[in-house]
Amino acid sequence: MPYQEVATIIARSIMVSGLATLLALAWSIPVIVKLLATGGRVAKIALDVAGTLTGIPTVVLGLLLYFLLSRGGPLGFLGILYSPLAMILGQALLITPYIIYLAVSNLMEGRRNIWELALSLGASKTQAALTLLQDGVYSLASVVVVAFNRAVGELGIALMLGGNIKGFTRVMTTAIALEVSKGEYELALTLGGALLAIVLPISIAITTIGKKI
Amino acid sequence: MISLRNIVFKYGKRVILRNITTDIQDGVTYVIGPNGAGKTTLLKIAAGIYKPSSGEVIVDGINIWDVDEAKALEVRRRIIYVHERPAVLRGTVLKNIVYGFKLRGVNDTGEVLRIVKPIAEEINVVELLWKNAGELSAGQLQKVALVRAIALRPRYLLLDEPFSHLDEESVKRVSYVLRRIVEDQGVCVVVASHIREAVEGLSPRVVMIREGELVKVSPEP
């Protein structure tokens, strides 16, 4: 596999998983604020549901979305199966429970003092929830990194919704799977190393910053 | 007046407060009791931060858990609770103080500073206003939190062990400011403390709780 193709695959992986993370974050934040502001039993049940959904196998989610997006499926008219857009949507759905579960757990339990401070200074519950988010931005950043790492490292959705089409939907995980199936272990290991080289520095940077805050 | 009626508070299966009925009236009230008696929980319930498992919290005639959120918020803003180890937001002390004003629609830092500076001078924390709040000592935090609370001119000021990290000089200054706001502004001050000796003589009204139960109110209502 030429160097240029490897670089393109890495760039595509970052783009697909990065956009999926941004999309998941965009629709998760209102949910996070709502859950923080609601609190009590409702929030706990919602959090338990989100926690359970973090365990969903990627192939199962991929399969469900495949049936939804395939030509005969209810969303087949969109015509996005085997495209980066389908991969972005699938990965965004995959990591949404992670973002909601980790963010709400961290902010609700780890920063209870800030919540009480906000309320005692006269914040409404929504204002207090927004204050928690704002003050816990580094905590949220570490959640986003975990979510990105989960997205960039998953295979099931990328394979089922992207189809591993060369030059279009091939990303690192599908390329590694392909190279292994061909017996090209050296190239697979190189791609695996590249994947780690992307994921690890981001995690270390966020952890280091988080400790200093 | 804040009336606490038949307050029960449970945390899981543990009962923290058992059927407490008392009033927070004008002037200074001390809530005393040993560590773990439930003083902090009682203050947080009185401030509307915790919802009691049962019972009523009536502030100026309004049951704060029985009205819509907007009304409850309006009433809650009359009460400020200051923790023994006050939490601070990321940023400077001034940013922390401005926060409470922003919640009330005052966004002009200059205006906030004009209100805050005389109080900060009285408590001797002016030089801390531009410091990173995360770098303050426990005593400095207590003083800054007090400034943050008083500046918002609450009707009720609930202080949890407010002198626990203060030196003698600071205790005198804070006590002076508390007396002043009680006398000049009519603020109801509630002080929770585990040291009975330290509070006697300062207030004619003392509420004593032990193991979550009200054991004594003096003078008797």
Side-chain angles (χ1 to χ4, degrees):
Chain A
M1 189 183 286
Y3 167 77
Q4 202 180 349
E5 195 184 336
V6 172
T8 311
I9 288 171
I10 292 171
R12 189 178 300 115
S13 291
I14 294 171
M15 185 205 68
V16 167
S17 299
L19 288 175
T21 307
L22 286 177
L23 185 62
L25 193 63
W27 66 42
S28 294
I29 281 180
V31 179
I32 292 167
V33 171
K34 185 70 186 164
L35 287 179
L36 288 172
T38 307
R41 194 169 292 177
V42 175
K44 197 171 176 328
I45 292 169
L47 207 55
D48 286 345
V49 171
T52 306
L53 288 175
T54 58
I56 192 168
T58 57
V59 279
V60 174
L61 183 60
L63 196 61
L64 284 172
L65 291 171
Y66 176 84
F67 285 127
L68 276 176
L69 296 173
S70 59
R71 192 165 291 176
L75 299 176
F77 66 92
L78 293 173
I80 61 169
L81 190 63
Y82 299 137
S83 74
L85 181 58
M87 294 161 75
I88 290 167
L89 278 174
Q91 289 187 356
L93 285 172
L94 173 74
I95 61 176
T96 295
Y98 282 84
I99 293 177
I100 292 173
Y101 179 73
L102 293 175
V104 175
S105 305
N106 287 354
L107 295 171
M108 212 179 238
E109 294 305 321
R111 305 182 79 82
R112 183 169 288 275
N113 57 344
I114 297 294
W115 170 260
E116 290 183 3
L117 169 73
L119 288 184
S120 78
L121 290 176
S124 66
K125 286 185 175 176
T126 304
Q127 285 173 322
L130 289 168
T131 303
L132 268 184
L133 264 187
Q134 202 180 349
D135 202 69
V137 68
Y138 289 99
S139 175
L140 193 65
S142 63
V143 169
V144 169
V145 169
V146 170
F148 173 79
N149 289 351
R150 175 80 177 115
V152 84
E154 72 79 30
L155 173 65
I157 289 168
L159 205 54
M160 298 187 100
L161 301 184
N164 196 23
I165 302 167
K166 188 180 177 184
F168 186 50
T169 59
R170 184 163 296 170
V171 289
M172 277 189 285
T173 50
T174 56
I176 289 168
L178 179 69
E179 296 306 321
V180 168
S181 70
K182 291 191 322 196
E184 297 280 352
Y185 297 110
E186 201 176 321
L187 192 56
L189 282 170
T190 307
L191 284 164
L195 187 60
L196 282 175
I198 292 166
V199 166
L200 286 179
I202 301 172
S203 301
I204 292 167
I206 292 292
T207 308
T208 311
I209 292 168
K211 278 181 184 168
K212 285 183 180 172
I213 299 300
Chain B
M1 184 167 75
I2 301 177
S3 295
L4 302 172
R5 294 279 165 266
N6 308 109
I7 296 295
V8 175
F9 186 82
K10 293 177 187 169
Y11 190 80
K13 287 183 178 174
R14 214 174 125 220
V15 183
I16 310 290
L17 296 175
R18 300 162 195 273
N19 204 31
I20 288 193
T21 296
T22 191
D23 294 329
I24 293 166
Q25 298 167 350
D26 284 351
V28 181
T29 302
Y30 278 97
V31 178
I32 62 169
N35 289 332
K39 303 184 295 293
T40 298
T41 306
L42 188 69
L43 258 58
K44 286 181 179 177
I45 286 173
I49 297 172
Y50 288 175
K51 186 178 183 182
S53 306
S54 65
E56 293 178 334
V57 182
I58 300 162
V59 181
D60 299 333
I62 297 159
N63 184 342
I64 59 170
W65 295 106
D66 199 27
V67 289
D68 62 67
E69 201 179 327
K71 184 66 187 169
L73 179 63
E74 188 258 303
V75 177
R76 269 204 298 113
R77 283 185 177 168
R78 300 175 199 171
I79 312 165
I80 294 185
Y81 165 80
V82 180
H83 197 275
E84 178 188 1
R85 288 184 174 276
V88 283
L89 303 170
R90 282 186 303 109
T92 64
V93 169
L94 187 60
K95 185 193 161 193
N96 269 270
I97 293 171
V98 168
Y99 174 74
F101 284 88
K102 276 190 176 169
L103 293 174
R104 288 158 176 79
V106 181
N107 292 305
D108 182 358
T109 306
E111 170 69 8
V112 174
L113 207 52
R114 193 186 60 74
I115 298 167
V116 167
K117 224 170 173 184
I119 306 163
E121 278 167 0
E122 275 187 302
I123 299 181
N124 199 23
V125 291
V126 176
E127 76 282 3
L128 300 180
L129 291 178
W130 289 271
K131 271 198 166 184
N132 185 346
E135 293 170 2
L136 302 185
S137 69
Q140 287 173 326
L141 273 177
Q142 278 196 314
K143 289 189 278 186
V144 160
L146 202 61
V147 173
R148 180 171 64 185
I150 292 171
L152 293 169
R153 302 202 65 163
R155 169 84 179 92
Y156 303 94
L157 183 59
L158 315 183
L159 307 172
D160 200 348
E161 304 276 6
F163 307 119
S164 58
H165 300 289
L166 301 186
D167 56 40
E168 208 175 320
E169 165 69 18
S170 300
V171 170
K172 277 183 191 167
R173 280 178 180 271
V174 168
S175 295
Y176 170 78
V177 173
L178 292 179
R179 281 203 194 96
R180 184 181 63 70
I181 61 167
V182 170
E183 288 165 5
D184 298 352
Q185 297 171 15
V187 177
C188 296
V189 174
V190 180
V191 176
S193 175
H194 67 284
I195 312 168
R196 188 175 183 180
E197 287 74 19
V199 298
E200 275 185 353
L202 282 174
S203 166
R205 185 169 167 77
V206 175
V207 174
M208 191 188 293
I209 57 172
R210 189 180 297 143
E211 292 177 0
E213 288 186 61
L214 189 71
V215 290
K216 189 183 172 189
V217 177
S218 63
E220 296 286 340

